[in-house]
Amino acid sequence: MARGWDLRRLGGGGSRSNLPAAVSERRYDPKQIEPKWQEIWKRERTWEVSNSPDGGDGREKSYVLEMLPYPSGEPHIGHLKNYSVGDVIAHFHRRIGRRVLHPMGYDAFGLPAENNAIKTGVHPREATNRSIATFREAFHRWGISIDWSREFATHEPSYYRWTQWIFLKLLERDLAYKKTAAVNWCPNDQTVLANEQVIDGRCERCGAEVEVRQLEQWFFRITDYADRLLDDLDAIDWPTHVKAMQRNWIGRSEGAEVVFRCEELGIDYPVFTTRPDTLFGATFFVMAPEHPDVFRLAEGTSHERAVHEYVNRSLTEAPELRGATDKPKTGVPLGRTVTNPVTNEQIPMFVSDYVLMEYGTGAIMAVPAHDQRDYDFAKAFDLPIRQVVSAGGGEDPAASVAPGGGEDPAASVAAGGAEDPAASVAPGVGEDPAASVAPTGGDTDGSATEAGAFTAHTENEVLINSGQFSGMNSVEGQRAIVEWLDREGKGHFSVSYKLRDWLVSRQRYWGCPIPVVYCGKCGMVPVPEADLPVELPDIEDYQPKGRSPLAAAEDWVNTRCPQCGGAAKRETDTLDTFVDSSWYYLRYCDAHNDHAAWDRHVLRSWMPVDQYIGGVEHAILHLMYSRFFIKALADMELLDVQEPFQALFTQGMILGPDGNKMSKSFGNVISPQPIVDRFGADAARCYILVIGPPDQDAAWADTGIEGVHRRLLARLWRLADELSDQGEGVDQPTSPEGDALTIVRKANWAIEKVTRDTATRFAFNTALSAIIELINEIYRYPDADPGARRFATATAASLLFPFAPHLSAEAYEMLTGRRVWEEPWPDADPDMLQAETFELVCQVNGKVRDRVSAPTGAPREELEKLCLESRGVQMHLNGQQVAKVIVVPDKLVNVVVR
RNA sequence: GCGGCUGUGGCGGAAUUGGUAGACGCGCAGGCUUCAGGUGCCUGUGUUCUUCGGGACGUGGAGGUUCGAGUCCUCUCAGCCGCACCA
């Protein structure tokens, strides 16, 4: 230390004192600083927090959690961002006096390790444990403040024992069940997939085209919770787009179930509709190709053969081709009719692939006048189209649709007469089939009317051609029709969901075994809790062959029935890894409990997670499954919260320097480790946070990290070094003057700014900018009172701690000998937040014409006078009459002239 | 088609409740220190006109409200994300 100081003296030569630092041999060296503090934190277990009952020391709890990492190879830059954001929040909460739980673990089961095992023969456990070691090492080197005492991985028997226990609890409650169903099969990964894991007809993981197979599989009854999953979104502090995605996925629609009877076969076919008000317009009936009754219906009719051909073609068609919304409608008649329950008309039945078996009842009533898809089908098959709802009722219909209805064909239709100016307003409808018929179809005799196929569903709509219901608006009509159907036993109100039950079994090895056995006498028998865990055996051959590789482990498969003691076989499917990660945050609360998954009282002291941080890619799967688990477990009175994650923050992606998503194929992958090696963890963390709002995507730029290193970290270090022996205390000087006052004010401004940006907005980019501004200000006045500079520098170090913990700890220690994380978060001195003068903005007609210095808190009259007298304002008034003067105290004066 | 989001200098981005547009960083230009430097330090940097006083224009576009609009309202254009033949 002494040597460095001497060199500075020599080089400084007594001129401006910002020079000495420049010639110093001592430099900011993260390679020295970072390991030093990491060692201290590890040795002293600084970030551990206890569950002891007296731990209730009056401090408010805060559970800060980043999403469980899947350890594969090395961590990437997205991990660095995720844990940097989380660590800022964890540190900040500690510094403002909360008891913070900030744990870490690993999502250790899963396909990549297993696929690697198939290729290389290395046991998935071995590869996974290696990756875990690499991740753990990285988190240490990044200086993330983790309570390591609670660490675990989901592939450890001491963890999955409880995953199995939860499975049994769900089974007990009939929330886990087995059924044969059409499921998504990935031919590449040789396993089934959950609905949520199929993207555009392809496997989310490997991209292979998914096949549909009829298989017996395990499901969790998440649909029982659809309404609660939907409603409780209102009570949690999540980004709107994530809530929107969940709502969308749950896909609740209200409507009615209406029964259409096939008299010839004497079978009732219920359909679901959201538009029971259009029931009089149902002129035909369509079933999905997968509907179990299609062959039976067609049997003995002249269409039997055509139906077989059509269905077979549909079932073998590639899902994404079949799902294309723009392809022409196809289908064949079934040769049967059903009765429209309100008109008693016999309407023809069809089979068509635009009807989905998975939604509703797999059959629909088709209302071509008011549904685009049905309309397209009716046109293709020359079926009757009957308008039963009229937009706008008696008054000029155009009025209700005209604004913004340009691209809406209804506008031209509703306008009725072609003379109506509104009709000509609708551009670009020429290519729409409806448009060509619209002008003549405007009259309401019902025969040729294909109007309204696209009308919005509003209270202005009125039912027509609907018997006793004609004249009601469509909202009234819906209710009246369904009530009538209900009385007649032909229908009732109903709710439908897009959400399906969660398919949890996988025909793969590297996952949590499902704890049931199959006994010839007793059937399916759950493994008793006392016998858990059912341990995953080691096997020779990982190759999937359409069934789990576990099926070949005969010693393991063959077992005794827990009930009768007879020969039995184990379930060989394993659980979807999303099951493992649906409850891990509970285990952290009580990680070492070996007689229960958790203690309910301990859980009560930590749950829910106060701040969850992760990527949007988990907006549906992981987050929905976890919410389901919590609700189910709460219903079993095993815990006391209704939602796992009270607040959610979704961080944006770090893109490659070229602005593209980082990927090997673009060759734009930035790996965090070389960055940390070169600039240090503090610089890497700060750069990732200063680059922009953390919830937005941002492209990596090497020059940016150099900026942070230079302007923020190295300069703070130099200030601390320079000031370390220029005094003792770092308290705010009692009555600073001149430059010292300026510096002290800036420090207080920064305290206020950093606190607000960090606590309420997650605006870490502007918080860091404020610290840079403070450092710039200390630099700007090298000759100011060292006491003021020491105070400001210590303040900067203190504020920077959540972002750059190593350097901050070092700088703070250089100045004070104390540990910055043991200091309370600084409080801004209100007296220092306002100067005695401010720059008054002088405007004429809203344009800035001058700026003059004015005393803070000056009365309006004085400000008005100052403004009117200012040179710039005088120049622009030149004799015009002042109409009005607006005064905003301590800010501006606007002179309005005519 | 439905739902959600974003448009601000050469670049990333600031701007709290309607009140100085462009904080901070990068880049660029000039200067100082240095044997030298890709280090450090200082100054300047929206566009444009200028008689060097200053003026005009400027937040995707067009209107509107207001003394005053990046911010509020209406319409519109572009891009991104999610879902999608969901009855």
Side-chain angles (χ1 to χ4, degrees):
Chain A
M1 173 110 35
R3 185 165 167 267
W5 175 241
D6 287 341
L7 280 170
R8 279 193 321 235
R9 274 278 157 86
L10 290 169
S15 59
R16 292 175 64 87
S17 67
N18 56 27
L19 296 177
V23 250
S24 168
E25 270 195 359
R26 286 171 52 83
R27 299 201 339 217
Y28 166 54
D29 183 7
K31 282 198 180 64
Q32 298 281 318
I33 296 171
E34 294 185 354
K36 166 184 162 185
W37 292 100
Q38 284 159 17
E39 186 49 42
I40 288 170
W41 296 328
K42 188 175 181 179
R43 192 174 61 232
E44 301 184 1
R45 305 170 164 216
T46 311
W47 314 120
E48 287 185 19
V49 60
S50 76
N51 280 345
S52 59
D54 57 291
D57 48 12
R59 284 183 296 165
E60 196 182 328
K61 71 97 180 176
S62 173
Y63 189 172
V64 178
L65 186 65
E66 302 91 358
M67 286 181 184
L68 189 68
Y70 175 78
S72 173
E74 290 180 6
H76 54 76
I77 206 101
H79 288 108
L80 180 56
K81 180 164 179 176
N82 192 210
Y83 299 104
S84 297
V85 169
D87 208 35
V88 170
I89 297 167
H91 274 313
F92 180 73
H93 283 190
R94 287 189 196 101
R95 294 281 305 280
I96 62 173
R98 297 192 188 153
R99 244 167 92 74
V100 171
L101 174 58
H102 188 217
M104 180 63 74
Y106 311 93
D107 187 18
F109 278 132
L111 275 183
E114 185 171 352
N115 289 339
N116 176 65
I118 293 166
K119 230 186 298 173
T120 65
V122 176
H123 195 290
R125 184 183 300 115
E126 202 181 306
T128 301
N129 287 341
R130 266 207 300 269
S131 289
I132 287 174
T134 307
F135 271 62
R136 182 188 294 124
E137 176 63 26
F139 295 141
H140 273 110
R141 261 190 305 208
W142 297 348
I144 311 291
S145 62
I146 291 161
D147 178 349
W148 288 105
S149 72
R150 295 165 188 263
E151 182 192 28
F152 60 77
T154 59
H155 72 305
E156 294 161 1
S158 56
Y159 179 83
Y160 70 68
R161 169 185 179 183
W162 303 113
T163 307
Q164 292 174 342
W165 176 77
I166 292 171
F167 178 92
L168 294 178
K169 288 287 160 196
L170 293 170
L171 188 63
E172 252 172 51
R173 281 231 155 194
D174 195 35
L175 290 170
Y177 66 98
K178 224 178 169 184
K179 73 169 177 192
T180 301
V183 297
N184 304 298
W185 175 265
C186 173
N188 183 48
D189 288 335
Q190 293 274 304
T191 184
V192 295
L193 301 171
N195 266 19
E196 291 81 357
Q197 289 169 317
V198 180
I199 311 289
D200 293 333
R202 290 174 178 276
C203 170
E204 162 197 64
R205 276 206 55 265
C206 69
E209 224 167 70
V210 166
E211 297 165 10
V212 175
R213 289 196 180 180
Q214 290 286 330
L215 291 170
E216 188 176 42
Q217 296 292 325
W218 284 98
F219 291 85
F220 285 166
R221 221 178 281 283
I222 191 171
T223 51
D224 274 12
Y225 287 80
D227 275 327
R228 281 164 67 188
L229 289 169
L230 188 66
D231 295 343
D232 290 356
L233 285 173
D234 295 336
I236 48 181
D237 179 17
W238 286 20
T240 53
H241 65 283
V242 177
K243 289 189 184 185
M245 283 163 78
Q246 294 222 343
R247 285 197 185 99
N248 202 306
W249 191 260
I250 295 166
R252 179 189 157 103
S253 0
E254 293 182 14
E257 208 164 275
V258 181
V259 176
F260 286 69
R261 185 171 181 80
C262 176
E263 302 290 352
E264 293 149 287
L265 279 77
I267 306 174
D268 284 339
Y269 288 108
V271 300
F272 176 75
T273 177
T274 54
R275 294 293 306 272
D277 53 319
T278 64
L279 186 48
F280 282 80
T283 53
F284 58 101
F285 187 95
V286 192
M287 284 179 148
E290 293 86 352
H291 197 289
D293 281 6
V294 287
F295 295 134
R296 180 173 166 198
L297 283 159
E299 199 180 330
T301 73
S302 59
H303 301 282
E304 191 171 355
R305 218 188 133 115
V307 168
H308 272 90
E309 279 169 14
Y310 183 81
V311 169
N312 286 337
R313 189 152 21 94
S314 296
L315 297 186
T316 51
E317 195 175 8
E320 83 256 34
L321 282 178
R322 186 183 156 182
T325 51
D326 50 354
K327 74 166 191 178
K329 292 284 176 284
T330 58
V332 291
L334 285 166
R336 305 281 181 187
T337 60
V338 286
T339 311
N340 179 322
V342 287
T343 62
N344 279 319
E345 282 173 293
Q346 292 301 304
I347 60 173
M349 301 178 85
F350 291 84
V351 56
S352 172
D353 63 4
Y354 83 93
V355 175
L356 309 175
M357 191 62 216
E358 312 86 81
Y359 187 75
T361 61
I364 61 155
M365 65 177 212
V367 184
H370 304 289
D371 182 282
Q372 179 70 61
R373 297 154 301 177
D374 297 344
Y375 174 84
D376 295 341
F377 191 86
K379 275 295 178 190
F381 289 82
D382 201 21
L383 294 160
I385 296 166
R386 185 191 306 138
Q387 187 184 3
V388 291
V389 179
S390 160
E395 85 281 13
D396 179 9
S400 60
V401 268
E407 73 286 350
D408 186 343
S412 62
V413 170
E419 310 79 12
D420 191 305
S424 58
V425 165
V429 294
E431 61 273 22
D432 190 297
S436 57
V437 280
T440 50
D443 35 4
T444 51
D445 67 12
S447 54
T449 323
E450 30 231 283
F454 326 95
T455 43
H457 190 43
T458 69
E459 298 212 9
N460 282 338
E461 289 176 322
V462 169
L463 270 58
I464 57 174
N465 298 326
S466 296
Q468 55 175 306
F469 306 102
S470 293
M472 293 182 179
N473 75 40
S474 95
V475 175
E476 293 165 356
Q478 285 204 2
R479 196 172 38 237
I481 289 178
V482 178
E483 280 167 1
W484 182 88
L485 288 168
D486 211 347
R487 282 196 298 276
E488 298 288 316
K490 292 175 179 173
H492 53 87
F493 286 105
S494 168
V495 177
S496 185
Y497 301 89
K498 211 186 91 176
L499 184 69
R500 307 284 85 185
D501 274 344
W502 172 17
L503 198 174
V504 294
S505 43
R506 296 292 181 273
Q507 290 70 50
R508 298 298 301 244
Y509 167 72
W510 190 232
C512 174
I514 295 174
V516 301
V517 301
Y518 300 96
C519 166
K521 261 201 297 214
C522 313
M524 194 265 287
V525 181
V527 173
E529 278 181 34
D531 294 348
L532 298 183
V534 175
E535 285 208 43
L536 192 61
D538 286 339
I539 58 169
E540 298 294 317
D541 181 8
Y542 303 103
Q543 194 73 44
K545 300 176 178 78
R547 55 174 197 165
S548 169
L550 279 176
E554 287 185 17
D555 288 352
W556 180 83
V557 170
N558 291 307
T559 182
R560 295 268 141 206
C561 170
Q563 254 171 45
C564 70
K569 285 187 185 298
R570 292 193 186 280
E571 168 68 63
T572 58
D573 283 359
T574 51
L575 288 170
D576 180 4
T577 55
F578 279 107
V579 177
D580 308 326
S581 58
S582 291
W583 74 281
Y584 75 99
Y585 46 87
L586 300 175
R587 185 65 181 171
Y588 281 142
C589 298
D590 203 6
H592 302 295
N593 195 331
D594 52 13
H595 48 270
W598 57 77
D599 180 287
R600 190 172 170 180
H601 297 284
V602 170
L603 219 58
R604 196 178 292 155
S605 69
W606 287 118
M607 285 296 289
V609 172
D610 295 277
Q611 184 63 57
Y612 201 36
I613 303 121
V616 244
E617 64 272 19
H618 294 111
I620 294 172
L621 298 134
H622 165 61
L623 292 172
M624 185 92 79
Y625 296 151
S626 296
R627 296 182 61 221
F628 159 64
F629 260 49
I630 287 302
K631 289 176 194 304
L633 293 166
D635 286 352
M636 298 176 208
E637 304 198 320
L638 294 166
L639 48 80
D640 301 278
V641 289
Q642 286 298 323
E643 285 288 337
F645 314 120
Q646 187 51 44
L648 173 70
F649 183 86
T650 51
Q651 94 256 10
M653 256 186 305
I654 301 284
L655 307 171
D658 56 359
N660 289 307
K661 196 171 165 169
M662 282 190 194
S663 83
K664 282 187 195 129
S665 55
F666 281 123
N668 62 353
V669 176
I670 302 286
S671 175
Q673 204 45 56
I675 302 285
V676 170
D677 288 343
R678 185 160 157 223
F679 295 100
D682 286 337
R685 293 171 55 153
C686 287
Y687 172 60
I688 265 179
L689 296 175
V690 86
I691 192 170
D695 56 336
Q696 275 174 35
D697 292 352
W700 181 272
D702 283 334
T703 52
I705 194 168
E706 287 165 22
V708 162
H709 180 265
R710 259 205 307 270
R711 312 293 300 189
L712 180 65
L713 304 176
R715 282 180 147 214
L716 176 58
W717 189 89
R718 268 187 227 113
L719 284 174
D721 184 45
E722 177 197 337
L723 293 164
S724 59
D725 48 9
Q726 293 192 19
E728 285 298 316
V730 291
D731 291 342
Q732 179 173 312
T734 38
S735 41
E737 285 174 4
D739 295 347
L741 179 60
T742 307
I743 291 172
V744 169
R745 283 221 173 94
K746 191 73 181 181
N748 280 283
W749 167 86
I751 291 169
E752 212 272 325
K753 171 92 177 146
V754 173
T755 306
R756 182 156 33 78
D757 286 356
T758 306
T760 62
R761 305 199 306 152
F762 299 122
F764 307 129
N765 54 332
T766 52
L768 285 166
S769 291
I771 299 172
I772 295 175
E773 282 193 61
L774 172 57
I775 290 168
N776 286 348
E777 198 83 333
I778 306 168
Y779 253 72
R780 196 165 293 137
Y781 302 104
D783 299 320
D785 165 45
R789 301 185 82 220
R790 284 177 56 87
F791 161 69
T793 305
T795 300
S798 180
L799 294 174
L800 186 61
F801 178 70
F803 306 89
H806 312 88
L807 167 67
S808 300
E810 181 75 13
Y812 203 81
E813 189 187 54
M814 287 160 92
L815 290 167
T816 68
R818 297 198 301 265
R819 291 171 159 184
V820 65
W821 64 86
E822 291 170 0
E823 305 282 318
W825 188 253
D827 263 330
D829 174 358
D831 292 342
M832 286 293 162
L833 288 176
Q834 219 172 25
E836 58 265 24
T837 61
F838 71 97
E839 197 175 58
L840 178 71
V841 172
C842 304
Q843 297 182 331
V844 176
N845 285 346
K847 293 199 167 152
V848 180
R849 296 306 184 186
D850 211 339
R851 291 159 226 256
V852 296
S853 177
T856 304
R860 308 176 84 92
E861 302 74 40
E862 188 181 340
L863 295 178
E864 184 173 333
K865 184 158 167 278
L866 276 167
C867 174
L868 287 167
E869 282 171 355
S870 73
R871 211 171 89 85
V873 169
Q874 282 292 315
M875 272 172 56
H876 285 272
L877 284 180
N878 51 45
Q880 295 174 87
Q881 194 189 344
V882 175
K884 196 172 170 185
V885 179
I886 312 279
V887 180
V888 181
D890 292 343
K891 215 154 227 169
L892 64 77
V893 176
N894 186 15
V895 181
V896 185
V897 298
R898 271 198 293 268

